[in-house]
Amino acid sequence: MNARDKSIIADIERFRYLTRDDIAELYFGHTRHPITQTNLVLKRLRRDGYVKCSTERRKYVYYAADRKLKADSQKVAHFLAIADYYKRIRAVEEPRVFEVEPKLGGKGRPEPDVFTIWKGAPWYVEIQRSTYTDKQMAEKLNRYEAYLQ
């Protein structure tokens, strides 16, 4: 297995779920036929047991074979949104650090979706797909403020 294949597997593990188009953009955008190249690599990685594929969505979603993730998890769209965020900031400048759902400690600590060092500054990022009440948002912000102190 070459270094690129290992990097693809590492990104699938980091983001939990990626679509074929995500992988094509991240790894094969410079090639003449990115989709064809991506399909060939993903077919081989599936055949060799490194990744699994959920075919329940219009776009196939890939996830690590050794993780206990559900193909139909409610969080698939959330993790795909995190990957989309990564692709957007990467288009401007490659982040020095990009951690998905970092653990910041015990109960009462913030639980960010992303910690990144981008453009020389540290960022905690929340990717919110549902509506929060004012009370829920205040609680979330209070946890971040307490963590800062």
Side-chain angles (χ1 to χ4, degrees):
M1 180 181 316
N2 62 33
R4 183 204 56 221
D5 292 355
K6 290 177 184 177
S7 294
I8 290 170
I9 293 168
D11 271 350
I12 290 172
E13 289 175 352
R14 172 171 55 159
F15 291 107
R16 314 302 195 271
Y17 300 93
L18 288 174
T19 66
R20 182 217 42 204
D21 293 347
D22 291 334
I23 296 165
E25 183 177 336
L26 292 171
Y27 288 94
F28 299 98
H30 65 283
T31 66
R32 191 169 177 184
H33 303 287
I35 298 301
T36 303
Q37 293 294 319
T38 305
N39 286 338
L40 289 171
V41 169
L42 289 173
K43 183 177 180 181
R44 184 172 24 79
L45 293 176
R46 282 180 70 189
R47 181 196 68 211
D48 294 347
Y50 293 106
V51 299
K52 290 184 180 179
C53 179
S54 170
T55 59
E56 296 173 8
R57 297 173 185 271
R58 197 172 120 225
K59 290 186 177 184
Y60 288 4
V61 176
Y62 294 85
Y63 56 100
D66 61 348
R67 287 203 130 171
K68 298 202 179 359
L69 298 174
K70 295 180 182 178
D72 61 346
S73 172
Q74 295 292 320
K75 293 201 70 164
V76 171
H78 177 73
F79 286 114
L80 292 177
I82 292 171
D84 187 55
Y85 172 75
Y86 173 76
K87 292 185 309 181
R88 288 172 187 248
I89 67 169
R90 181 178 175 258
V92 175
E93 182 179 308
E94 182 79 31
R96 245 186 9 220
V97 173
F98 194 92
E99 296 177 20
V100 177
E101 291 190 339
K103 303 299 178 211
L104 300 180
K107 192 144 179 93
R109 298 282 187 162
E111 298 173 1
D113 294 320
V114 173
F115 170 73
T116 187
I117 298 177
W118 183 64
K119 292 190 155 273
W123 299 85
Y124 287 115
V125 180
E126 289 286 339
I127 307 291
Q128 197 58 45
R129 299 188 66 248
S130 60
T131 304
Y132 270 21
T133 65
D134 289 341
K135 181 181 176 184
Q136 288 172 314
M137 187 56 74
E139 288 172 357
K140 190 172 277 259
L141 290 173
N142 288 338
R143 283 196 301 267
Y144 278 105
E145 287 176 0
Y147 184 71
L148 178 63
Q149 301 307 323

